Amino acid sequence: MGFPAQRPRRLRGSAVLRRLAAETRLHPASLIQPLFVVPGRNVEKEIPALPGQRYLSADRIGTAVARAVEAGIGGVILFGQPERKSADGQSAWDAKGPVQEALRAARREAGGALALISDVCLCAYLSHGHCGVVKGEGVDNDATLPILGRVACSHAEAGTDVVAPSDMMDGRVGAIRGALDGAGFQGAAILSYAAKYASAFYGPFREVADSAPEGFGREGYQMDPPNRAEAMREITLDIEEGADAVMVKPALAYLDVLREAATRFDAPLAAYNVSGEYAMVKATAARGWLDERRAALEILTSIRRAGASMIVTYWAVEAAGWLGGRRA
Ligand code: PBG
């Protein structure tokens, strides 16, 4: 039985029918907003490479968090910049560092109204911009692990709900889990950037975080774009080591990886709609070449359709507004 009895256009005939037949629904509670914390007081400054995003000092984070709560999004993820970068990245676990202060301020503001997530990486804190301790022409995996554990504990101490390691060292989820448990933070969850690719789409973020690596690229530790089976192996390892949720990053050029991960694993799955993906739409929309709102919602829907239950996106708060906010 085919045409003319079957006419798929019938269910596209009106907005109510399209809404009823939609297979994928985007909800504000799935969205996570990145926030960039910088040292100092009273700082609230536009980020040129990421139009619509701001650098905030810890004392200004409350307003952004209040907006996120009001929008009804699922969480915020904090990225930090230290006063000073150093050879050992010590400022990353400073109890009074910008991220740690911001976590406390965010908790005061949000209470339990959304999830507080904190990125755990050393790239913004080490002078050379790599995600771990550099030895010769590479990053020393095992020497980096205890430092990541320390950073995670300092975030847990400051009240984060979830630490999100983004460095791609082998064994870091196990090391962080061990460090957290050893320090009494059994309740702090780990969202691991399990399949993080060495991608050109982080371009704007590196300018923002001032974390472009010196000397050599990140290809020696982040994943190679051609590989999908390897992503499944990475996710398996991270789950075995104790990851509570896993992430694929970037999102758009890796929707196939996301889809396969969603069918294979029962762990909660996140995707990171990265800076370059956001900036491409912003730049194109600024020229009047596409409609930002429609493009953004289409992108976010595609990431949900591929199988992510959580999406980190620079549109989170804005998209929640488009979707109807807390009432959605
Ligand atoms: C830090 C980190 C990066 C991003 C998130 N965490 C940069 C990188 O790996 O170079 C990228 C986020 C984005 O591009 O939006 N390790």
Side-chain angles (χ1 to χ4, degrees):
M1 192 182 58
F3 179 82
Q6 291 199 331
R7 290 180 183 269
R9 285 185 54 186
R10 285 188 197 110
L11 287 181
R12 299 177 203 142
S14 69
V16 281
L17 289 177
R18 288 192 293 275
R19 188 177 61 181
L20 190 65
E23 298 174 36
T24 306
R25 294 186 200 282
L26 198 56
H27 192 278
S30 308
L31 306 177
I32 299 167
Q33 176 74 46
L35 297 176
F36 294 100
V37 193
V38 292
R41 295 188 60 76
N42 280 320
V43 184
E44 187 158 351
K45 213 169 64 203
E46 282 285 334
I47 303 179
L50 288 176
Q53 310 296 312
R54 301 197 152 137
Y55 294 111
L56 300 167
S57 48
D59 59 325
R60 290 291 185 97
I61 219 76
T63 326
V65 168
R67 221 174 293 133
V69 169
E70 183 50 36
I73 64 168
V76 293
I77 180 166
L78 303 189
F79 293 92
Q81 260 183 41
E83 195 89 58
R84 209 164 296 106
K85 295 176 191 285
S86 66
D88 62 359
Q90 193 176 358
S91 48
W93 67 85
D94 180 356
K96 293 200 158 55
V99 166
Q100 289 81 356
E101 295 284 16
L103 282 167
R104 287 187 203 97
R107 179 63 71 200
R108 280 194 296 276
E109 182 64 41
L114 51 65
L116 298 182
I117 308 170
S118 50
D119 186 81
V120 170
C121 197
L122 299 173
C123 59
Y125 300 86
L126 288 164
S127 336
H128 47 62
H130 278 288
C131 300
V133 179
V134 167
K135 211 182 255 168
E137 279 298 282
V139 167
D140 184 339
N141 191 89
D142 298 12
T144 304
L145 301 181
I147 308 179
L148 295 170
R150 250 172 131 150
V151 176
C153 286
S154 79
H155 290 183
E157 175 82 54
T160 198
D161 292 306
V162 184
V163 292
S166 62
D167 53 284
M168 289 301 277
M169 295 303 114
D170 292 330
R172 95 268 211 212
V173 172
I176 289 173
R177 187 68 270 159
L180 288 170
D181 289 355
F185 299 116
Q186 288 87 352
I190 300 175
L191 162 60
S192 119
Y193 292 67
K196 175 173 176 178
Y197 288 85
S199 170
F201 290 99
Y202 309 146
F205 181 96
R206 289 191 185 163
E207 190 178 312
V208 167
D210 188 20
S211 62
E214 270 170 29
F216 51 96
R218 298 207 210 281
E219 294 78 8
Y221 44 102
Q222 296 181 348
M223 279 187 58
D224 204 16
N227 301 349
R228 191 176 58 201
E230 186 190 350
M232 301 306 123
R233 212 149 58 231
E234 282 281 8
I235 294 171
T236 303
L237 289 171
D238 282 8
I239 293 173
E240 282 171 4
E241 286 176 34
D244 300 284
V246 289
M247 181 142 73
V248 172
K249 175 186 172 188
L252 285 188
Y254 301 90
L255 290 177
D256 58 324
V257 176
L258 206 51
R259 182 73 210 144
E260 186 164 347
T263 33
R264 277 217 205 186
F265 301 99
D266 53 14
L269 184 60
Y272 199 135
N273 176 215
V274 300
S275 58
E277 299 171 341
Y278 173 81
M280 283 194 301
V281 174
K282 282 283 184 188
T284 318
R287 295 190 157 201
W289 290 352
L290 53 68
D291 179 288
E292 180 186 354
R293 173 178 168 158
R294 283 189 59 200
L297 289 175
E298 187 173 332
I299 284 173
L300 297 175
T301 301
S302 79
I303 298 170
R304 281 282 291 136
R305 192 185 63 229
S309 57
M310 312 170 214
I311 307 173
V312 181
T313 172
Y314 300 98
W315 279 296
V317 167
E318 204 175 4
W322 296 333
L323 294 168
R326 287 153 78 96
R327 288 166 289 111

